[in-house]
Amino acid sequence: MLTQECLQDAVKYGECFIKFGKTAEYIPELARVNKYHLGACIVGLDGTVMEYGDTRTPFTIQSISKLASLILAISDRGADYLFHDKVGVEPTGDPFNSIIKLETKTKPFNPFINAGAITVASCIDGKDSDEKFERFLQFIRKVCGNEEIALNEAVYLSEKSTGDRNRALAYYLKASGILEGNVEECLDFYFKMCSVNVTAVDIAQMSAVLANHGACPSTGEVLIEPESAKAIRALMLTCGMYDGSGEFAMTVGFPAKSGVGGGIAAALVDRMGIGVFGPALDEKGNSIGGIKILEYLSKKMDFNLF
Ligand code: DON
């Protein structure tokens, strides 16, 4: 049985590695964050919550938002269309913001790299960026069980004014006929969805829904179609940690999705959701302390699926 003491030991273990990481420097507002935050929250499928460390400190969701936007796009367009015409389901082995494969293969390899997530963002229903974002916000509040979740305006503006690499990806995708609609509206929505403030508790709640086949553990309400939840967990395992996904599968061994805000959301099917937060990142853009917490829990509790 997982105890509070074990969770505390995992966070203490993760703390030893923070000094080797750095906050995301390419987004000026994220570069300013205190890199020594660290915390972990576990939500069981009976609704129980266990937490230790900085679990109530807000941070921007960043790429973890790509789970929610993909769920919305699947429900708007259908998985067949999305995964056939718009994005693949294969890992790239390249960094999350790489452009290199877009020239040789028009379709982004998967929905979690930036090119794939920008494409998915363009497939979400809504007449403009505001309408798409409102739908995204309603969904993320529901799936995290927190009505207070809101945009971090400073991070959004920081990303929007410096996101030229994402702009390049989006215009390239438009030129290839992959990205739908107005490029700037799509990018504006993408920057907003990445800049929503959440906590480790929020992302643990969302992960618990994914682990529970799409149903909210405390109310039983179906928030995600079970088939979508299954596809998302598979993609988290193969692509969720970008070019660190293979090593993460070897050392930790369960589905997880990281963000450069320092969060990692992990879904252990039929067991629990885990949310960790530690803004010091490794060279691949994944939380360095967060990975170590998950590695500790995986070994101690025998969570590794393999
Ligand atoms: O578009 C970006 O670069 C960021 N808003 C999100 C990237 C990210 O979180 C990658 N995750 N590890």
Side-chain angles (χ1 to χ4, degrees), residues 26-27 62-63 96 114 159 166 190 194 242 258-260 285-286:
Y26 72 103
I27 300 173
Q62 296 299 338
S63 284
F96 63 84
N114 287 6
E159 285 214 47
N166 284 328
Y190 173 80
C194 290
Y242 305 105
S258 64
V260 289
N286 299 322

Side-chain angles (χ1 to χ4, degrees), residues 71-72 74-76 79 139 143 209-210 212-215 221-233:
I71 295 162
L72 279 180
I74 292 175
S75 81
D76 287 348
F139 180 66
V143 85
V209 175
L210 285 166
N212 198 31
H213 307 272
E221 187 185 352
V222 177
L223 303 176
I224 305 168
E225 284 305 312
E227 276 305 305
S228 296
K230 190 171 163 189
I232 304 272
R233 290 192 310 268

Side-chain angles (χ1 to χ4, degrees), residues 7-84:
L7 185 61
Q8 180 173 330
D9 290 346
V11 175
K12 297 262 177 234
Y13 175 67
E15 277 170 0
C16 308
F17 298 86
I18 295 178
K19 58 176 180 288
F20 302 116
K22 287 194 226 155
T23 53
E25 284 173 336
Y26 72 103
I27 300 173
E29 273 299 309
L30 293 190
R32 293 164 6 108
V33 172
N34 169 10
K35 77 170 187 173
Y36 287 96
H37 284 299
L38 197 64
C41 174
I42 293 180
V43 174
L45 298 197
D46 56 358
T48 51
V49 178
M50 197 185 280
E51 48 189 303
Y52 183 79
D54 299 324
T55 52
R56 306 275 167 164
T57 307
F59 61 92
T60 51
I61 189 168
Q62 296 299 338
S63 284
I64 303 168
S65 65
K66 296 168 182 176
L67 301 175
S69 56
L70 181 59
I71 295 162
L72 279 180
I74 292 175
S75 81
D76 287 348
R77 299 300 183 92
D80 288 348
Y81 170 76
L82 213 60
F83 294 125
H84 185 266

Side-chain angles (χ1 to χ4, degrees), residues 158 246 281:
S158 184
L281 309 177

